[in-house]
Amino acid sequence: MRRLPPRTLRGQLTVGLVVLLALACLAVGTATAVALRGFLIGRLDEQLASSGGRFAASLEHEATPDADNRPDTRGQAEGTFGARLLNGTVTQAAVVADATDRTLAPDAAGRRALAAVPADGHGHTLRLAPLHAYRVMAVRGDDQDILLTGLPLHPVEETVHRLEAVEAALFGAALVVTGFAAALWVRIRLRPLQRVTARAAEVAELPLASGEIAMPGPLPDADPHTEVGQVGGALNHMLGHVEDALTRRQAGEQRLRHFAADASHELRTPVANIRGHAELALRHHGPVPAEVRHALERVDGESRRMTRLVDDLLLLARLDAGRPLDHDPVDLTLLVLNAVDDARASGAGHRWLLDLPEAPVDITGDAHRLQQAIGNLLATARTHTPPGTSVTVALAAERTEVSVSVSDDGPGIPEDLQTEVFGRFVRGDHARSRTTGSTGLGLAIVQAVTAAHGGTIAVTSRPGDTTFRMALPR
């Protein structure tokens, strides 16, 4: 039932026009029927006034046995009713049928109704069994009696009902024709709005967050003198601002990517030099003061961490620039086994579990980058969970995709951090600290590598159950 009212503007306008026309037809039909009924009843009142009660007066001779004293029915229309009242009592009542009179004996209710008609020379509507409704008029007679003459309302009712039937047929046909015409007219008039809607839907389908895109052109028929044209003009103006903002954002992102790539590339050489000099100094055979050795070890450790950061930044910059990856056959089962072996060596305090299918899983992709992504997932589980945590690595193969899941029973990821966990330089206050050596880029690299392979990465987390699922096309 909730779907019965039209939801579209076109349907509402069409139904509204038809309903308004139906109300107008109903008002016209009602006014016409009422006016016609009043006119016909007025004609009956004129006929009753012109009769002057002659038929009712002739009823007083009905009691005499002389046939010449029968009521005078000449000039009386068929169905004419007459009654004579004396002192409030009906003495005679008859109705004309086939040019003859037919005596009536009204019941008690009929007699009371006849006696209640005022002798004011005006018409009154009265219903007497077994007759139909009558229009009666009462006048005073010469013998202190009251003479009532009536004409049937049945012809009036038939005429009014016939008019109502004709009006219903005509108005019904008019409503049907008008409904189709209104639907066509509204459809034509709303075409500019449909184009506005289609353009807005087209823009809504664009991946505005994916980088440089081609915005659709402005609407050609945005007439500022119409409401629809004003909406189209506002949409054109908004699309212009959106296109300008996207262009500026894309230019800024391009400059930032170029800067990150150039800076990472330029930093690799001095960082490598610092690391080399620190290692060379540590290899000195002569005595080295403890403070100096500690300082050199710190320089070597920080240079190693900076090397990883520079390499991660350079990788992300290359992936952002759309650098093509290798497309070679990859044994994903072997990659998972190697990554778990490396993680077990680095995190001996964790319990590492494997869930692999019986048959090897092969895909097409870049083995080195996939190995790095899986290793980052395992490093995340190892770094941000306490010793003794169980980490399960599961590999599943389906017809169109394969998935690598890394689950742990650690403390979980805060809910407010789950939507940003794949961002760059995102760290949790309770886990990601500088002491862990985390750069905050590990999961960002996982997402970038997965997207470069046409896959998706998702996380679900609650205390005691955190799962990263990387899905890759077959």
Side-chain angles (χ1 to χ4, degrees):
M1 293 297 293
R2 295 179 180 177
R3 296 184 179 181
L4 288 180
R7 297 179 179 271
T8 62
L9 179 60
R10 183 175 65 189
Q12 292 178 1
L13 290 177
T14 302
V15 172
L17 290 175
V18 173
V19 169
L20 290 178
L21 180 60
L23 293 176
C25 292
L26 179 62
V28 171
T30 303
T32 304
V34 171
L36 179 61
R37 180 183 176 85
F39 173 76
L40 295 178
I41 290 178
R43 293 294 301 272
L44 287 181
D45 290 344
E46 292 177 1
Q47 295 179 26
L48 292 174
S50 64
S51 67
R54 289 190 300 272
F55 177 62
S58 66
L59 294 179
E60 62 180 319
H61 304 291
E62 185 178 1
T64 63
D66 188 359
D68 294 337
N69 292 331
R70 301 295 292 173
D72 185 9
T73 60
R74 292 174 298 176
Q76 302 298 327
E78 182 178 352
T80 302
F81 169 78
R84 180 174 178 269
L85 285 81
L86 184 62
N87 298 325
T89 303
V90 179
T91 58
Q92 289 90 20
V95 63
V96 176
D98 298 331
T100 62
D101 70 296
R102 179 164 59 89
T103 302
L104 293 177
D107 56 9
R111 290 193 297 270
R112 287 194 299 268
L114 290 173
V117 177
D120 54 2
H122 296 289
H124 300 276
T125 301
L126 192 65
R127 182 177 295 275
L128 292 173
L131 303 177
H132 296 286
Y134 266 71
R135 189 73 175 176
V136 299
M137 183 179 292
V139 296
R140 295 187 180 276
D142 297 335
D143 300 330
Q144 300 301 319
D145 55 359
I146 296 177
L147 306 175
L148 283 87
T149 307
L151 291 173
L153 284 175
H154 182 64
V156 174
E157 300 294 341
E158 285 186 346
T159 303
V160 174
H161 291 334
R162 186 176 300 172
L163 174 65
E164 290 173 348
V166 172
E167 287 180 339
L170 291 178
F171 290 159
L175 287 177
V176 172
V177 174
T178 303
F180 284 105
L184 180 61
W185 180 78
V186 171
R187 184 184 185 89
I188 294 175
R189 298 303 301 171
L190 290 183
R191 280 180 179 174
L193 184 58
Q194 292 177 348
R195 286 192 285 269
V196 172
T197 304
R199 183 58 53 83
E202 182 182 356
V203 174
E205 294 296 329
L206 293 176
L208 299 180
S210 63
E212 187 176 1
I213 60 173
M215 294 291 293
L219 293 169
D221 52 354
D223 186 1
H225 300 290
T226 64
E227 289 81 359
V228 177
Q230 293 172 4
V231 173
L235 180 62
N236 288 339
H237 194 61
M238 182 187 69
L239 292 180
H241 283 298
V242 171
E243 184 176 13
D244 182 64
L246 290 177
T247 302
R248 292 175 180 269
R249 188 197 69 178
Q250 182 65 19
E253 290 182 353
Q254 286 292 105
R255 289 194 295 269
L256 183 61
R257 289 170 182 171
H258 290 161
F259 169 77
D262 294 342
S264 301
H265 182 73
E266 294 297 330
L267 285 173
R268 295 183 75 179
T269 300
V271 170
N273 291 335
I274 293 173
R275 180 179 174 183
H277 287 296
E279 291 178 351
L280 181 61
L282 289 173
R283 292 176 182 175
H284 181 66
H285 297 289
V288 179
E291 295 82 0
V292 176
R293 178 172 292 277
H294 177 71
L296 290 175
E297 290 176 350
R298 292 291 301 151
V299 170
D300 180 65
E302 290 299 315
S303 63
R304 291 176 183 274
R305 194 176 70 84
M306 181 171 271
T307 299
R308 291 194 299 270
L309 175 61
V310 170
D311 290 340
D312 290 345
L313 287 175
L314 187 59
L315 172 60
L316 288 174
R318 289 174 177 174
L319 292 176
D320 289 339
R323 296 283 183 88
L325 300 178
D326 294 337
H327 288 79
D328 300 322
V330 177
D331 187 348
L332 200 58
T333 304
L334 180 60
L335 293 186
V336 171
L337 289 173
N338 293 336
V340 172
D341 286 341
D342 295 339
R344 184 178 290 111
S346 301
H350 289 67
R351 296 180 63 248
W352 300 95
L353 306 175
L354 277 172
D355 183 7
L356 302 177
E358 296 181 358
V361 178
D362 297 326
I363 64 170
T364 300
D366 191 316
H368 177 65
R369 297 308 176 194
L370 290 174
Q371 179 81 45
Q372 185 176 7
I374 298 173
N376 285 355
L377 288 177
L378 298 179
T380 299
R382 172 178 53 82
T383 305
H384 305 305
T385 58
T389 302
S390 297
V391 181
T392 302
V393 183
L395 178 61
E398 299 179 1
R399 187 175 62 87
T400 59
E401 71 173 18
V402 298
S403 62
V404 179
S405 300
V406 178
S407 305
D408 65 71
D409 55 1
I413 302 173
E415 185 176 356
D416 57 347
L417 190 63
Q418 293 181 21
T419 58
E420 304 175 359
V421 71
F422 296 106
R424 300 178 185 184
F425 301 106
V426 175
R427 295 182 176 89
D429 295 337
H430 66 283
R432 295 194 170 195
S433 62
R434 292 291 182 180
T435 58
T436 63
S438 172
T439 63
L441 297 175
L443 293 180
I445 291 176
V446 174
Q447 185 184 44
V449 171
T450 304
H453 283 81
T456 57
I457 180 72
V459 60
T460 56
S461 180
R462 58 184 176 84
D465 184 11
T466 299
T467 301
F468 286 88
R469 182 179 183 274
M470 180 173 62
L472 300 170
R474 217 39 209 268

